[in-house]
Every structure is written in structure tokens, then in C-alpha cells.
Amino acid sequence: MSDTVLSSATREVVIGFDRPFVIIGERINPTGRRKLAEELTAGDFSTVVADAIAQVEAGAHMLDVNAGIPLADEPAILAQAIELVQSITDVPLCIDSSIVEALEAGLAVYRGKALVNSVTGEEERLESVLPLVKKYGAAVVAISNDETGISEDPDVRFAVARRIVERAADHGIARADVVVDPLVMPIGAMGTAGRQVFRLVRRLRDELGVNTTCGASNIAFGLPSRHALSAAFLTMAATSGMTSAITNALSPDIQRAAAAADVLLGHDPDCMTWIGRYRDGGAGGGAATSDGAGGRRRGGREGRRRATAQEP
Amino acid sequence: MSDTVLSSATREVVIGFDRPFVIIGERINPTGRRKLAEELTAGDFSTVVADAIAQVEAGAHMLDVNAGIPLADEPAILAQAIELVQSITDVPLCIDSSIVEALEAGLAVYRGKALVNSVTGEEERLESVLPLVKKYGAAVVAISNDETGISEDPDVRFAVARRIVERAADHGIARADVVVDPLVMPIGAMGTAGRQVFRLVRRLRDELGVNTTCGASNIAFGLPSRHALSAAFLTMAATSGMTSAITNALSPDIQRAAAAADVLLGHDPDCMTWIGRYRDGGAGGGAATSDGAGGRRRGGREGRRRATAQEP
């Protein structure tokens, strides 16, 4: 069973082989956003609110929340951001930190089943993050690097992923609750980066039976028309078996790529979502249909939602 | 060896597993274009000239030429169109007709090695088209249907393709000179159409070792934002091993999709073509760089051209 079930207090999202591609909005992250970092340090969450709403309006199925600011009280800020985002949207969240205390602070306030971002194959990380994931009944992103760094050899990255899945099992975490990030390198620096990931994702799916995610924007780092290239990467990765991505949910290119991949992989029955979004010849703007329940849901994606709609 | 080498009098294009994706412009075809049909019947080739130039300017690597007009003298019109197109562009052509006499008339005037479009698995067609392909030293598009029609079962389509490849061998035509069209159905009518083709293309490549092409626009028939969906299909088909498509070369979406697939599959060394086309933030307009040799070649695709550049 490949379904990774995530939830907020009131809504489920399922990442799975036979499911629509899940877009996890990457925007709430102060890395490289000095203004946001300053705001958060000063206790100002207005940009977080705006980013959360904009990404969900644009069709993000989940949101990544990261509060990684050097010298700041990251656990407190992350917990506050998560409580706030959960108060204004009903999508499940990805709790993102390199600091274990921050992950725990986020998990402690989280309502529902979160996706913890992330564990790696590093021994210390495995033994500090996996117990938390188990304690809070969460799922976890497994990044396929270890103490030796990120291998350029996809077979090594596969082996690391397998080791994380096995270790998670030792901690009582099901394979379905491990979402592997095979690590996407910039194609401008490494011409084989695309083929590597496509092959690795296929193996992760066929041999390891796990869902996958990635930072889809990395592939086009430093290249022009970055969104268009990332969008093409997304469709190609989905063809290879990728089931979600932490990416720019605000990009019409990305939105359209995910919607097209769903159509072409048979995950958009009768093309209803595609037709709903693009029937007016839309260039792919982020106009989501609202169903009036406050969820800012994407039209036609009802199959993904199991929980009863309610007011946030 | 998977390379299918096509040529005009002065230029080669190679379709191959490790080559950039080859776009065959579909526009010169009177089917559904009443005005063009009337012009051709009246001996007016001005639209053919305009379409040929526009498609090559937009980056088409080859052009399909079809003159299928009911009750017209198709062999004469097709031969005339081919001579004319060869006089104004130097890309190799795809000679497209359902009438064997028209294929022969086109082949008789063609300079270089053409791609004959097409043979099917129908006995009569095999025995009339394959001898022509052999006689003129051409390559051929093999459409995977037979007397029983187009099977919805991709395994049957694979078997038909294999039979055509075997029959071609009986006629002395190399496997590398058979380019299989796995047949693309409209996804709006058949939700499995995408997955079917992706799997079939993969098998054609891995098990049969042949290049593939398709009418990439078919997939999105009847759906909105057709170009965007066709473009996503193209990248996904390329990921599965598709090496060319007969498609809308004038669509910026299609151009960008092919260029992105080349980058991501490692067929655009150092991303030079991508950077050349999109560095100005271009939305994918068809601006091709001219190298001054009259070839209207696509910047950075020099690797595909083996013949010496010369004036047309």
C-alpha cells in the first residue's frame, strides 16, 4: 500500500501512486528572504499569513513551513507559525527544520498528521528524528544523503533511502509514512541530474514501494526560464513515479504541469480538474474554484479529500 | 544502433535514443484546411511556402508534407509540393500520403533520404509501401494498426509494430529505418491513453530497439489549453523514450517542451540550446538563431547536423 495519508485537524491529503500529484508550497521559508527573516524575528507573521493564503488559493495541497533563522529562537517561531497557518488554512503541513527541537515544538502544537521535513541517513539524525515522528504519529521526508554527504551515484542514494526506510521500520514507522527525497541537483551543473532522478524515482517506487518528493525548483537553478524548466521536470518526474514535490505553488507553469501530469497519468478522471481550470483558455493562472466551505480547494480534486468540509 | 538518419540534399537529421528530440512540423496538410485544399487544387502553393518557412523558423527539424485532397491528382500535387519545399528549406521531409502512388511520386523527386509516412501492419500496405521504401533508400513510419483496426490493447499494438519491423527486415530495410508510431488516442475519450503510450514507447525502445514518433496533438483533442497539454505529453513521452513527434512546431509550448526535455534527458550539453533560446526570459517564442547558411537552424543544435553547411 503506497498511500501516505497526511491531515490537518479537518482535512486529509493522500500522496500515492494512483493519486493526483501533491504540490507542497515551498514559500514559507526565510532562507534567502531577508525581509521575512527580519519580520519573523520581530514577531511579525503577516507575510506568513499572506504566503499561506496565496499558495492555497493557487492550488497548493500542502504547505511547507520553515522558520530557519540563524540565532533566532527557531522552535518558538516555528511553533507559532504552524499554529497561525493552521488557524487560517485547512491544508496539512510539512514541518521543516534542521533543528530537532524545532521539529518537536512544531509537532507539539500541530493538529492532525504532519509531514516532518526531514530525516537523512545520518546516524544522529535518524536516532533523533525518527523517535519524534513515531511519538507524534507523523510521516517523514527521508533525504537520501548520509554522513558522507550527497553521493553523485544514484545507486548509493538508493541504498541510503533503503536504510532510512528500514530504520524507520525499526522505530515502528510504516513504509507508507516515509516519503523519499532522492535529491535533485541543478542540471546546469550536472547534465545527468535529470536522468539520475528519473531512474532513481522509478527504483524507489518499483523496488522500495515508497512515495517520493523533491525540491523541484533545484533542477533549474541558475538557468533562464526557470519555472518552465521546473514544470517540465515535474511532468517528467511524475512519469517516472514521483508523487509529490515541494515547489513553487504560485507558478502557473508548475500548476499546469501538475494538472497535465494528472490528466496524462490517468489521475484526473474525465479530465474534470483540467477542464475546470483551463476551459476558458486560461494561461494557467492560479484561479482556484472555491467550494464555499472555506477550504480554497482546487476544483475537481474532491477525490483527495476524505474529511468533511467545514469552516476553518 | 538506434539512429535513424534522414537527409535533404544537403543536411542530415538524426532521430536517436541519445539525440535531441526531433520535431516534425505537421502544418503542411490540407486535412481540415479547406482553403489550403482549394489552393493546392488550383496549383497555388503560396501557403505551402509560408508554412514551410514559418515552421523551420520556429525550430522544426523536419517537415511533414501531405497533399491528401479528395478527387485531386494527389501524386502530382505532392511531388510538386515536395520539390518546392526542398527548394526553399534544407530540412529533411516526411512524405505523407495514404496513396501509394503519391508516396512514389514524392520519393521520385525527393533529394536525400526521406521519411515515408506511413506503412501499417495491413498486408496490402506492407507489400506496397515497403518495396518503395527499399527502392528509394528511405526510412518509414510504422503505424501500429492492422486489418483489425487500432487495438485498445497496447500489447497488440506492440505485436503489430514488431511484425512490421520483421517484415521490413524481409525487404532489406534496417530496424533503424523503421520509426514506430504507437498511436496516440485522445485522453478525453480514453483516460488510459497516456499511460498506455508511455508504457508502449518504453517497450518499443527497450525490447524492439526502435525510434518512435507520434501525432502528439491527438492526445489533447477536444480539451482546453490543448497546446499546454500536448506539450506536457511530449515531455512525458520523451521521458518514456519517444524520440520524435509530428506536431505543431509553431506552438511556443511545444518548442519549449522539446527543449526542456532535451535539457532534462541530458541531450542539450551544458544547456546551450536552452540558454540560447530563453536567456532573455523569452516566453518561448520561436526565435531561431540563423547561422547565415540559409538553414534557419536552431541555435546550439549543431551536434545534430553532420553535413557541411552550404547555401541552399
Side-chain angles (χ1 to χ4, degrees):
Chain A
M1 187 56 176
S2 73
D3 281 357
T4 305
V5 181
L6 292 317
S7 63
S8 64
T10 55
R11 190 167 169 196
E12 272 186 11
V13 164
V14 182
I15 303 174
F17 296 170
D18 301 315
R19 304 273 181 172
F21 196 89
V22 171
I23 292 184
I24 305 169
E26 71 184 358
R27 185 96 179 119
I28 303 175
N29 190 328
T31 311
R33 296 179 76 190
R34 183 204 287 247
K35 182 166 166 291
L36 176 58
E38 288 171 358
E39 280 180 17
L40 290 176
T41 307
D44 172 4
F45 288 83
S46 53
T47 298
V48 170
V49 170
D51 285 348
I53 291 173
Q55 291 180 98
V56 176
E57 291 278 3
H61 310 106
M62 295 179 59
L63 297 178
D64 188 88
V65 181
N66 179 303
I69 306 162
L71 307 179
D73 183 0
E74 188 176 331
I77 297 174
L78 185 59
Q80 209 174 336
I82 281 166
E83 286 199 287
L84 184 58
V85 172
Q86 286 215 294
S87 74
I88 54 168
T89 71
D90 69 352
V91 299
L93 303 184
C94 191
I95 302 176
D96 182 3
S97 179
S98 56
I99 296 175
V100 177
E101 293 71 24
L103 292 178
E104 172 135 40
L107 284 164
V109 300
Y110 187 78
R111 293 175 298 147
K113 180 176 173 187
L115 183 59
V116 171
N117 188 6
S118 57
V119 70
T120 67
E122 296 162 290
E123 191 58 34
E124 189 197 334
R125 192 89 185 156
L126 286 166
E127 289 308 315
S128 55
V129 174
L130 292 179
L132 274 187
V133 171
K134 176 61 183 173
K135 175 179 172 187
Y136 288 95
V140 65
V141 173
I143 300 188
S144 52
N145 70 293
D146 62 13
E147 284 83 357
T148 64
I150 300 173
S151 173
E152 290 200 5
D153 180 346
D155 292 339
V156 171
R157 301 221 293 280
F158 180 82
V160 172
R162 185 189 336 240
R163 202 162 66 238
I164 301 173
V165 168
E166 289 167 355
R167 190 66 69 89
D170 293 344
H171 284 271
I173 299 164
R175 178 174 304 243
D177 284 331
V178 182
V179 179
V180 174
D181 181 342
L183 285 166
V184 173
M185 312 289 188
I187 192 116
M190 190 167 130
T192 56
R195 278 177 298 177
Q196 269 201 5
V197 167
F198 302 146
R199 180 163 171 277
L200 190 45
V201 166
R202 175 57 64 195
R203 287 192 68 197
L204 288 166
R205 176 174 181 141
D206 291 348
E207 298 177 39
L208 212 52
V210 291
N211 282 306
T212 42
T213 196
C214 67
S217 310
N218 279 0
I219 193 81
F221 180 79
L223 291 174
S225 290
R226 189 170 174 182
H227 291 181
L229 197 55
S230 299
F233 173 76
L234 192 152
T235 61
M236 295 167 80
T239 307
S240 305
M242 185 86 77
T243 45
S244 71
I246 301 171
T247 190
N248 185 345
L250 301 175
S251 159
D253 283 337
I254 295 288
Q255 297 158 12
R256 196 170 38 220
D262 286 346
V263 168
L264 295 166
L265 294 173
H267 301 156
D268 179 6
D270 297 325
C271 311
M272 288 307 289
T273 300
W274 182 266
I275 293 169
R277 298 194 89 191
Y278 299 111
R279 71 185 143 207
D280 300 323
T289 55
S290 171
D291 59 6
R296 299 187 182 84
R297 290 175 192 94
R298 206 160 150 183
R301 291 237 167 177
E302 300 303 292
R304 171 174 298 144
R305 182 169 42 116
R306 291 187 191 162
T308 309
Q310 44 59 63
E311 299 299 325
Chain B
M1 186 56 174
S2 73
D3 281 357
T4 306
V5 181
L6 292 315
S7 64
S8 63
T10 55
R11 189 168 171 195
E12 272 186 8
V13 164
V14 183
I15 303 174
F17 295 171
D18 301 316
R19 305 273 180 172
F21 196 88
V22 171
I23 293 184
I24 305 169
E26 71 184 357
R27 185 96 180 116
I28 303 176
N29 190 328
T31 311
R33 296 179 76 189
R34 182 205 287 246
K35 183 166 164 291
L36 175 57
E38 288 171 357
E39 280 180 19
L40 290 175
T41 306
D44 173 3
F45 289 82
S46 54
T47 298
V48 169
V49 169
D51 285 346
I53 291 173
Q55 291 180 98
V56 176
E57 290 277 3
H61 309 107
M62 294 179 59
L63 297 178
D64 188 87
V65 181
N66 179 302
I69 305 161
L71 306 179
D73 184 359
E74 188 176 330
I77 297 174
L78 185 59
Q80 208 175 337
I82 281 167
E83 285 198 287
L84 183 59
V85 172
Q86 286 214 293
S87 75
I88 55 168
T89 72
D90 70 352
V91 298
L93 302 184
C94 193
I95 302 177
D96 183 2
S97 178
S98 56
I99 295 176
V100 177
E101 292 71 26
L103 292 177
E104 173 134 40
L107 283 164
V109 299
Y110 187 79
R111 293 175 299 149
K113 180 177 172 186
L115 184 58
V116 171
N117 189 4
S118 57
V119 70
T120 67
E122 296 161 291
E123 191 58 35
E124 188 197 334
R125 192 86 185 160
L126 286 167
E127 290 308 314
S128 55
V129 174
L130 292 179
L132 272 187
V133 171
K134 177 62 183 172
K135 174 179 173 187
Y136 288 95
V140 65
V141 174
I143 300 189
S144 52
N145 69 294
D146 62 13
E147 283 85 356
T148 63
I150 301 171
S151 173
E152 289 200 3
D153 180 347
D155 292 339
V156 171
R157 302 222 291 280
F158 180 82
V160 172
R162 186 189 336 239
R163 201 162 66 236
I164 300 174
V165 168
E166 289 167 355
R167 190 67 70 89
D170 293 343
H171 283 271
I173 300 164
R175 179 174 303 244
D177 285 330
V178 181
V179 179
V180 174
D181 181 341
L183 285 166
V184 173
M185 313 287 188
I187 192 115
M190 190 166 128
T192 56
R195 278 177 297 177
Q196 267 201 5
V197 167
F198 303 146
R199 179 162 173 277
L200 189 45
V201 166
R202 176 57 62 195
R203 287 192 68 195
L204 289 166
R205 177 174 181 143
D206 292 347
E207 298 177 40
L208 212 51
V210 290
N211 282 306
T212 41
T213 196
C214 68
S217 311
N218 280 2
I219 194 80
F221 180 79
L223 291 174
S225 289
R226 189 170 173 181
H227 289 181
L229 197 56
S230 299
F233 173 76
L234 192 152
T235 62
M236 296 167 80
T239 307
S240 305
M242 184 87 76
T243 46
S244 71
I246 301 171
T247 189
N248 184 348
L250 300 175
S251 159
D253 283 337
I254 295 287
Q255 295 157 14
R256 196 169 38 219
D262 286 347
V263 168
L264 295 166
L265 294 173
H267 300 155
D268 179 6
D270 297 325
C271 311
M272 290 306 290
T273 299
W274 181 266
I275 293 169
R277 298 192 89 191
Y278 300 110
R279 72 186 142 205
D280 300 323
T289 57
S290 170
D291 60 4
R296 299 189 182 83
R297 290 176 193 90
R298 206 159 149 182
R301 291 237 166 178
E302 301 302 293
R304 172 174 298 144
R305 183 169 42 114
R306 291 187 189 162
T308 309
Q310 43 59 65
E311 300 299 326

Short mmCIF file of all heavy atoms in Angstrom, two decimals, chain A residues 27-31 33-42 44-48 51 66 69:
data_model
loop_
_atom_site.label_atom_id
_atom_site.label_comp_id
_atom_site.label_asym_id
_atom_site.label_seq_id
_atom_site.Cartn_x
_atom_site.Cartn_y
_atom_site.Cartn_z
N ARG A 27 6.91 28.27 -0.11
CA ARG A 27 7.19 29.69 0.05
C ARG A 27 7.50 30.14 1.48
O ARG A 27 8.27 31.08 1.69
CB ARG A 27 5.98 30.47 -0.51
CG ARG A 27 6.15 31.95 -0.53
CD ARG A 27 6.62 32.43 -1.88
NE ARG A 27 6.75 33.89 -1.89
CZ ARG A 27 7.90 34.52 -2.10
NH1 ARG A 27 8.99 33.86 -2.38
NH2 ARG A 27 7.94 35.83 -2.07
N ILE A 28 6.89 29.50 2.46
CA ILE A 28 7.08 29.96 3.85
C ILE A 28 8.42 29.45 4.36
O ILE A 28 8.54 28.41 5.01
CB ILE A 28 5.92 29.51 4.76
CG1 ILE A 28 4.59 30.03 4.20
CG2 ILE A 28 6.12 30.04 6.19
CD1 ILE A 28 3.37 29.55 4.94
N ASN A 29 9.45 30.20 4.03
CA ASN A 29 10.82 29.79 4.33
C ASN A 29 11.71 31.04 4.27
O ASN A 29 11.83 31.66 3.20
CB ASN A 29 11.27 28.76 3.29
CG ASN A 29 12.59 28.10 3.66
OD1 ASN A 29 13.45 28.71 4.28
ND2 ASN A 29 12.73 26.84 3.27
N PRO A 30 12.32 31.41 5.38
CA PRO A 30 13.10 32.65 5.39
C PRO A 30 14.48 32.52 4.73
O PRO A 30 15.19 33.52 4.60
CB PRO A 30 13.25 32.96 6.88
CG PRO A 30 13.14 31.64 7.56
CD PRO A 30 12.24 30.79 6.71
N THR A 31 14.84 31.31 4.29
CA THR A 31 16.14 31.15 3.65
C THR A 31 16.18 32.01 2.38
O THR A 31 15.36 31.84 1.49
CB THR A 31 16.37 29.66 3.28
OG1 THR A 31 16.08 28.85 4.41
CG2 THR A 31 17.80 29.45 2.82
N ARG A 33 15.37 35.00 2.15
CA ARG A 33 14.34 36.06 2.18
C ARG A 33 14.57 36.91 3.43
O ARG A 33 13.93 36.72 4.46
CB ARG A 33 12.93 35.44 2.23
CG ARG A 33 12.56 34.64 1.01
CD ARG A 33 11.15 34.05 1.16
NE ARG A 33 10.10 35.04 0.97
CZ ARG A 33 8.81 34.82 1.24
NH1 ARG A 33 8.42 33.65 1.74
NH2 ARG A 33 7.91 35.76 1.03
N ARG A 34 15.47 37.85 3.31
CA ARG A 34 15.90 38.61 4.47
C ARG A 34 14.73 39.34 5.16
O ARG A 34 14.64 39.37 6.39
CB ARG A 34 16.96 39.64 4.05
CG ARG A 34 17.50 40.43 5.24
CD ARG A 34 18.06 41.76 4.77
NE ARG A 34 19.32 41.57 4.07
CZ ARG A 34 20.50 41.99 4.54
NH1 ARG A 34 20.55 42.62 5.69
NH2 ARG A 34 21.59 41.81 3.85
N LYS A 35 13.84 39.87 4.34
CA LYS A 35 12.73 40.62 4.93
C LYS A 35 11.85 39.71 5.80
O LYS A 35 11.46 40.07 6.91
CB LYS A 35 11.90 41.26 3.80
CG LYS A 35 10.75 42.12 4.28
CD LYS A 35 10.20 42.98 3.14
CE LYS A 35 8.84 43.59 3.52
NZ LYS A 35 7.78 42.56 3.60
N LEU A 36 11.58 38.52 5.27
CA LEU A 36 10.79 37.57 6.05
C LEU A 36 11.51 37.18 7.34
O LEU A 36 10.89 37.09 8.42
CB LEU A 36 10.47 36.33 5.20
CG LEU A 36 9.71 35.20 5.92
CD1 LEU A 36 8.39 35.69 6.49
CD2 LEU A 36 9.48 34.01 4.98
N ALA A 37 12.81 36.96 7.22
CA ALA A 37 13.59 36.60 8.41
C ALA A 37 13.49 37.70 9.47
O ALA A 37 13.29 37.43 10.67
CB ALA A 37 15.04 36.35 8.03
N GLU A 38 13.60 38.94 9.04
CA GLU A 38 13.52 40.06 9.99
C GLU A 38 12.14 40.16 10.61
O GLU A 38 11.99 40.37 11.82
CB GLU A 38 13.87 41.37 9.27
CG GLU A 38 15.36 41.48 8.93
CD GLU A 38 15.69 42.68 8.03
OE1 GLU A 38 14.75 43.39 7.62
OE2 GLU A 38 16.88 42.85 7.74
N GLU A 39 11.13 39.98 9.79
CA GLU A 39 9.76 40.01 10.30
C GLU A 39 9.55 38.95 11.38
O GLU A 39 9.03 39.24 12.46
CB GLU A 39 8.76 39.75 9.17
CG GLU A 39 8.47 40.94 8.27
CD GLU A 39 7.47 40.57 7.19
OE1 GLU A 39 6.78 39.52 7.32
OE2 GLU A 39 7.39 41.31 6.20
N LEU A 40 9.96 37.73 11.04
CA LEU A 40 9.73 36.62 11.98
C LEU A 40 10.47 36.85 13.29
O LEU A 40 9.93 36.58 14.37
CB LEU A 40 10.16 35.30 11.33
CG LEU A 40 9.28 34.81 10.18
CD1 LEU A 40 9.87 33.54 9.56
CD2 LEU A 40 7.86 34.53 10.66
N THR A 41 11.70 37.34 13.17
CA THR A 41 12.48 37.60 14.39
C THR A 41 11.78 38.65 15.26
O THR A 41 11.81 38.60 16.49
CB THR A 41 13.89 38.10 14.00
OG1 THR A 41 14.47 37.15 13.09
CG2 THR A 41 14.79 38.22 15.23
N ALA A 42 11.10 39.59 14.60
CA ALA A 42 10.39 40.65 15.31
C ALA A 42 8.97 40.24 15.71
O ALA A 42 8.21 41.04 16.24
CB ALA A 42 10.34 41.90 14.44
N ASP A 44 6.56 39.35 13.67
CA ASP A 44 5.57 39.79 12.67
C ASP A 44 5.31 38.63 11.69
O ASP A 44 6.19 38.25 10.93
CB ASP A 44 6.13 41.02 11.94
CG ASP A 44 5.25 41.43 10.75
OD1 ASP A 44 4.19 40.82 10.54
OD2 ASP A 44 5.65 42.38 10.06
N PHE A 45 4.10 38.11 11.72
CA PHE A 45 3.78 36.96 10.87
C PHE A 45 2.90 37.32 9.68
O PHE A 45 2.29 36.46 9.06
CB PHE A 45 3.10 35.86 11.71
CG PHE A 45 4.04 35.17 12.65
CD1 PHE A 45 4.35 35.73 13.89
CD2 PHE A 45 4.65 33.98 12.30
CE1 PHE A 45 5.23 35.11 14.76
CE2 PHE A 45 5.52 33.34 13.17
CZ PHE A 45 5.82 33.91 14.40
N SER A 46 2.86 38.58 9.33
CA SER A 46 1.93 38.99 8.26
C SER A 46 2.30 38.37 6.92
O SER A 46 1.41 37.99 6.14
CB SER A 46 1.90 40.52 8.15
OG SER A 46 3.20 41.04 8.01
N THR A 47 3.59 38.26 6.62
CA THR A 47 3.98 37.63 5.34
C THR A 47 3.66 36.14 5.34
O THR A 47 3.25 35.58 4.31
CB THR A 47 5.49 37.86 5.08
OG1 THR A 47 5.73 39.26 4.98
CG2 THR A 47 5.93 37.19 3.79
N VAL A 48 3.81 35.51 6.49
CA VAL A 48 3.45 34.09 6.59
C VAL A 48 1.97 33.90 6.26
O VAL A 48 1.59 33.01 5.49
CB VAL A 48 3.75 33.55 8.01
CG1 VAL A 48 3.15 32.16 8.20
CG2 VAL A 48 5.27 33.52 8.26
N ASP A 51 1.47 34.54 2.51
CA ASP A 51 2.03 33.43 1.72
C ASP A 51 1.17 32.17 1.83
O ASP A 51 0.99 31.44 0.85
CB ASP A 51 3.45 33.10 2.18
CG ASP A 51 4.47 34.14 1.72
OD1 ASP A 51 4.14 34.98 0.86
OD2 ASP A 51 5.61 34.10 2.24
N ASN A 66 8.85 26.62 7.30
CA ASN A 66 10.24 26.62 7.76
C ASN A 66 10.50 27.96 8.44
O ASN A 66 10.08 29.00 7.93
CB ASN A 66 11.18 26.42 6.56
CG ASN A 66 12.66 26.43 6.93
OD1 ASN A 66 13.16 27.40 7.51
ND2 ASN A 66 13.36 25.37 6.59
N ILE A 69 16.09 30.62 11.01
CA ILE A 69 16.77 31.92 11.04
C ILE A 69 17.93 31.83 12.03
O ILE A 69 17.71 31.53 13.21
CB ILE A 69 15.81 33.03 11.50
CG1 ILE A 69 14.54 33.02 10.64
CG2 ILE A 69 16.49 34.40 11.46
CD1 ILE A 69 13.39 33.74 11.27
#
